[in-house]
Amino acid sequence: MSDSKITFSRRNFIRTSSLASGGLLIGFNLFNSCKPNAKAPVDIADLDYKDFNAYIKIAENGAVSIFSPNPEIGQGVKTAMPMLIAEELDVAWSNVNVIQGDLDTVNFQRQVAGGSQSIRLGWEPLRQTGATARQMLVNAAAARWGVDPSSCTTKNGVITNAKGETLGYGAVVTESAVLDVPENVTLKDPKDFTIIGTDAVNVDIDKIITGKPLFGLDYKADGMVYAAVVRPPAFGKKLVSFDASKAKESSNVIDVIEFENKIAVLAKDTWSAFKAKNTIKAEWKTEEELESTEDHNKILQELLQNKDAKVLREDGNVDKAFAEADKILERTYEAPFLPHNCMEPMNFYANVTADKIHLVGPIQTPQRTAAGIANSLGRKPDEVHLEMTRMGGGFGRRLYGDFAIEAATISNLAKKPVKVVYSREDDMTAGIYRPASKYKIKAAIKNGKITGYHLREAAVNGNMYGLIPNFFPAGAIENYKVDAANYQSKVTTGAWRAPYTNFLAFAEQSFFDELADELNVDRVQMRLDLLQKVKGTTDEKIQYSPERLENVIKLAVEKSNWGKTSDTTYQGFSAYYCHNSHVAEVADVEVVNGQPVVKKVTCVIDCGIVVNPIGAENQAQGGVVDGIGHAMYGDFAFDKGVPSSKNFDTYRLIRMKEAPVVETHFVENNLAPTGLGEPTLPPAGAAVANALKAVTGHRFTQQPFTKNPEHLKVQKKEIIG
């Protein structure tokens, strides 16, 4: 058991007054103690989610509702986060009703879906919330019985005293409201968990498979009109004039509005808006030279050679190590731009009135988006009310509220409730993209040892940030340097699933395999030997745990039957740390009809305690398949500012039949949970590339691998060691 000190004030934590259902509302802050000025509704009939969006409701019949405040992007937090509360509240999960909350900047912080941080940051606060509620209910029951609360136990929403007498939570919710909120609560020992660590199906699954309205595209409101937007045909183009006469001939078209270098077509339905948009004749001008992928490649290559770069970490004397080296191994790795291609295209509803701004839609950053809209329209932040819908994918694209700002801007101009809807072509050509990047990695070798390591990044609009230079192999090589340079482009870029690491892991883990070949040593053992040098480090900047990374490597070797497969199976290894989790993967490739095919990936993950195993396995599998698909096929370019692809007829994604079996293993421990939505993606590309090297003899340094089909020709099997 563990005692957890909390600082909830009674005023913040609990409110009750003649509730329509005779219930108790218990509010909680996901990531910090509740703010002292938070106000909760006193009547369930008057519940205003804008003011109070995250709480537990316990009714007199014992039913429990838990409002989940974080955006649900498919990562399962709408299921997993309430599980944490329900565990410590000690109620039966089958009796819990989970409801999506709205944006509430008064009560909560970090209502964000991004960085694989929701469960990690909510682990203690959410459990404290449940435990505090449980203790208050126990105290109320004990007071009625006239016994010491410590003599009472709870199970599945029922309180039992030493005599065997019982009371349901619903029977004491009103009495608990007049008791003091305990300052210390006892959290369960992991061995006593009954909900955490058990499979819980997605709380929305029935609605999803039966087509009930959950997503942004499902949302409708009275008087709402649909907007399709004409955007510049190339990054860097400016609107001169347009002719909308043809569009206005349709009786379903309501208006055509110019705004912010764009044109909005308002119609009674999306199809009419899309059709009318395509009839608009717009004239655009070019004020500066438009960029092409060839330009980007040339500029990035120059940045790799340029001496001027921002040093992010430097240990020892790298220049001296390279000057004294017996041999220097150097490779350059290249990644293209990538669109996000969420299954649900961008969309958002806005109704801007004199009194308030009502927003509804799929967004990963509701607070930042609401603040951006308030600022854009010159309104007060408290005039904005934002409701979150479930998202049909995001992968970082919905971190950026540009589409929501469009909806609010158009609504403000049209004086109507407006829903902006992107077509697939809009979604793919309007940005925001993963930055195109190149990595140059150099290693100094002397007397058969790695004595120096230099990683240089060159990216469009920048890519790296402060933590990555402190990932492996930082601390393992005495002379170590990481620096970065970037080129500012008009092409809009941003976070893409597993930002920064999604390609860097491929580059570094491919390079380590080459280093092992150059040194003529076992590639797995070389990694393990490097990790030994980090154990016991006092360098607080190091982000990864050498012990935990070592454990996933050894378990992956065991579970994948590494190096002991048949002569028809070619294996590739990769291990990486990101988003606070450690992952090792082994890809099995076989030759089918003369072509290498990824048949299986063994994935071992240390992400601490797994809250919802079935959801965690789905996340892990999805990350691996996503990583392989984009490494193999994902390609995107620009010709004079114009995107190379507009739809899936010219943009290649992995097919279902190409997805390998993903065998997932979680390291069992009692450590607090870490990230899971993203960490399995980065190592996947390298595991496959290293396996392809074994089967083809070709070392892949450029993604996608299919860009050069001749490199996929099968050679004789190599011995993997």
Side-chain angles (χ1 to χ4, degrees):
M1 305 289 282
S2 62
D3 288 338
S4 181
K5 181 79 172 177
I6 61 172
T7 56
F8 294 133
S9 71
R10 173 176 187 74
R11 219 181 144 106
N12 252 328
F13 190 80
I14 183 172
R15 290 290 186 280
T16 181
S17 174
S18 61
L19 297 179
S21 61
L24 165 69
L25 295 180
I26 301 173
F28 61 89
N29 186 302
L30 283 182
F31 305 110
N32 293 285
S33 59
C34 290
K35 298 180 181 179
N37 63 343
K39 295 181 180 179
V42 296
D43 193 315
I44 194 69
D46 297 327
L47 195 61
D48 185 348
Y49 298 147
K50 181 170 79 71
D51 297 328
F52 192 72
N53 77 338
Y55 57 90
I56 304 168
K57 185 180 79 133
I58 304 174
E60 286 187 347
N61 64 2
V64 178
S65 290
I66 300 176
F67 280 68
S68 182
N70 270 33
E72 174 56 62
I73 198 173
Q75 81 280 43
V77 295
K78 191 175 177 182
T79 303
M81 296 179 88
M83 288 175 71
L84 303 181
I85 301 168
E87 178 67 73
E88 297 292 349
L89 184 59
D90 214 353
V91 294
W93 179 247
S94 59
N95 290 338
V96 173
N97 178 39
V98 177
I99 304 171
Q100 177 67 59
D102 300 332
L103 172 65
D104 180 351
T105 59
V106 174
N107 287 288
F108 309 113
Q109 296 182 20
R110 203 186 183 278
Q111 285 184 270
V112 174
S116 300
Q117 298 297 297
S118 295
I119 295 297
R120 174 175 173 261
L121 296 179
W123 173 247
E124 283 246 344
L126 291 175
R127 292 172 62 213
Q128 287 174 353
T129 295
T132 302
R134 183 189 73 236
Q135 190 60 56
M136 293 179 70
L137 292 160
V138 167
N139 291 348
R144 181 186 293 189
W145 286 321
V147 301
D148 191 316
S150 64
S151 67
C152 301
T153 60
T154 60
K155 183 177 181 180
N156 290 339
V158 176
I159 307 161
T160 304
N161 64 21
K163 296 179 181 180
E165 297 172 318
T166 62
L167 284 170
Y169 285 177
V172 293
V173 291
T174 303
E175 294 167 57
S176 68
V178 300
L179 302 179
D180 291 334
V181 176
E183 292 188 358
N184 292 283
V185 294
T186 300
L187 300 181
K188 288 185 180 181
D189 189 293
K191 67 180 177 56
D192 298 321
F193 288 161
T194 59
I195 295 176
I196 295 173
T198 63
D199 289 341
V201 298
N202 188 317
V203 295
D204 285 335
I205 191 64
D206 290 339
K207 292 181 179 179
I208 291 172
I209 62 178
T210 56
K212 297 294 191 302
L214 276 172
F215 300 90
L217 283 176
D218 297 325
Y219 185 80
K220 295 180 181 179
D222 291 341
M224 182 181 81
V225 299
Y226 295 85
V229 178
V230 179
R231 299 175 181 85
F235 287 91
K237 291 275 191 179
K238 298 293 182 183
L239 181 63
V240 176
S241 62
F242 66 93
D243 179 0
S245 57
K246 186 69 175 177
K248 292 179 178 180
E249 290 178 2
S250 170
S251 60
N252 286 332
V253 171
I254 297 167
D255 201 356
V256 178
I257 299 173
E258 179 182 351
F259 74 106
E260 299 173 354
N261 202 42
K262 306 169 192 174
I263 308 160
V265 177
L266 276 58
K268 296 178 182 179
D269 56 75
T270 52
W271 181 238
S272 297
F274 287 162
K275 286 198 302 181
K277 182 185 79 167
N278 293 333
T279 67
I280 290 179
K281 297 178 181 179
E283 181 184 351
W284 307 86
K285 68 178 179 179
T286 302
E287 294 182 342
E288 299 178 43
E289 185 176 352
L290 301 177
E291 304 166 16
S292 297
T293 293
E294 291 76 12
D295 303 322
H296 296 143
N297 285 334
K298 181 180 179 181
I299 292 169
L300 294 181
Q301 193 61 39
E302 291 173 351
L303 290 175
L304 289 181
Q305 310 305 324
N306 197 322
K307 291 184 178 181
D308 296 326
K310 182 179 180 180
V311 177
L312 302 175
R313 177 173 176 135
E314 186 168 14
D315 302 336
N317 191 327
V318 174
D319 292 339
K320 182 179 179 183
F322 281 103
E324 296 177 352
D326 298 329
K327 185 168 185 177
I328 296 174
L329 180 66
E330 178 180 319
R331 292 290 182 269
T332 297
Y333 301 87
E334 304 177 27
F337 290 96
L338 287 180
H340 294 82
N341 283 324
C342 310
M343 182 176 290
E344 177 192 22
M346 300 303 107
N347 66 92
F348 222 80
Y349 167 86
N351 185 16
V352 180
T353 65
D355 298 326
K356 73 172 184 177
I357 301 173
H358 183 204
L359 306 169
V360 184
I363 188 70
Q364 291 180 243
T365 51
Q367 182 175 352
R368 186 172 72 184
T369 298
I373 288 173
N375 181 67
S376 176
L377 299 183
R379 301 286 289 269
K380 296 177 181 178
D382 60 7
E383 294 180 53
V384 180
H385 172 62
L386 190 150
E387 299 173 29
M388 290 173 278
T389 63
R390 191 179 181 93
M391 289 173 257
F395 314 113
R397 176 62 182 93
R398 287 187 162 101
L399 290 170
Y400 308 94
D402 51 301
F403 48 95
I405 293 175
E406 284 183 346
T409 302
I410 297 168
S411 175
N412 187 51
L413 293 171
K415 307 304 179 186
K416 291 181 175 66
V418 170
K419 184 173 182 180
V420 165
V421 180
Y422 283 36
S423 66
R424 177 58 59 190
E425 288 79 6
D426 293 331
D427 205 51
M428 197 175 290
T429 59
I432 295 167
Y433 308 98
R434 181 186 79 171
S437 60
K438 294 180 187 287
Y439 290 102
K440 182 175 72 173
I441 309 178
K442 292 171 37 177
I445 300 171
K446 187 173 180 63
N447 298 325
K449 304 292 182 182
I450 305 170
T451 58
Y453 188 92
H454 183 195
L455 169 66
R456 162 71 62 86
E457 178 197 78
V460 174
N461 296 332
N463 197 349
M464 268 209 185
Y465 73 125
L467 295 180
I468 290 175
N470 301 306
F471 290 2
F472 182 78
I477 300 171
E478 183 178 0
N479 303 295
Y480 173 83
K481 183 177 182 180
V482 178
D483 53 25
N486 68 80
Y487 162 68
Q488 292 302 310
S489 168
K490 297 182 187 66
V491 177
T492 53
T493 61
W496 189 93
R497 190 176 186 179
Y500 319 107
T501 60
N502 53 58
F503 181 71
L504 176 59
F506 157 76
E508 289 200 295
Q509 287 297 303
S510 296
F511 187 75
F512 281 131
D513 259 33
E514 284 213 68
L515 265 177
D517 290 341
E518 190 66 38
L519 296 170
N520 195 29
V521 297
D522 182 279
R523 60 204 67 212
V524 173
Q525 191 59 49
M526 184 190 77
R527 290 169 169 89
L528 293 174
D529 290 343
L530 287 170
L531 287 172
Q532 302 312 306
K533 300 178 181 181
V534 194
K535 289 183 177 180
T537 182
T538 58
D539 186 349
E540 295 182 355
K541 292 185 295 183
I542 297 294
Q543 296 296 307
Y544 64 96
S545 163
E547 292 82 7
R548 296 176 78 173
L549 192 53
E550 177 184 56
N551 287 341
V552 295
I553 289 174
K554 289 181 176 179
L555 189 56
V557 167
E558 173 192 338
K559 296 296 184 181
S560 68
N561 202 27
W562 171 258
K564 300 176 184 177
T565 56
S566 68
D567 289 341
T568 59
T569 300
Y570 304 78
Q571 291 186 304
F573 178 86
S574 177
Y576 204 70
Y577 164 88
C578 67
H579 297 86
N580 311 104
S581 292
H582 303 75
V583 179
E585 296 178 13
V586 174
D588 290 0
V589 171
E590 297 178 7
V591 178
V592 179
N593 297 325
Q595 293 294 315
V597 176
V598 184
K599 286 291 188 177
K600 177 184 174 183
V601 174
T602 303
C603 179
V604 175
I605 309 157
D606 182 351
C607 59
I609 293 173
V610 178
V611 176
N612 182 11
I614 190 172
E617 186 175 10
N618 290 339
Q619 284 294 292
Q621 293 172 339
V624 171
V625 173
D626 200 8
I628 292 172
H630 284 92
M632 289 287 294
Y633 310 111
D635 198 10
F636 202 79
F638 294 88
D639 181 11
K640 296 187 181 303
V642 179
S644 61
S645 298
K646 296 183 178 181
N647 211 315
F648 295 134
D649 58 335
T650 54
Y651 183 79
R652 179 78 155 88
L653 289 170
I654 191 170
R655 270 60 165 180
M656 291 181 67
K657 67 179 181 180
E658 295 164 335
V661 172
V662 181
E663 183 182 288
T664 306
H665 303 272
F666 293 96
V667 174
E668 295 184 5
N669 57 44
N670 287 330
L671 299 174
T674 52
L676 188 54
E678 295 164 290
T680 64
L681 185 149
V688 170
N690 290 336
L692 290 174
K693 170 62 168 63
V695 69
T696 67
H698 182 81
R699 171 60 61 187
F700 291 85
T701 59
Q702 185 182 42
Q703 290 187 5
F705 304 153
T706 53
K707 196 176 186 74
N708 298 299
E710 67 276 9
H711 293 164
L712 291 170
K713 294 180 180 178
V714 175
Q715 305 292 325
K716 66 179 182 179
K717 181 179 174 83
E718 288 187 354
I719 298 175
I720 299 177

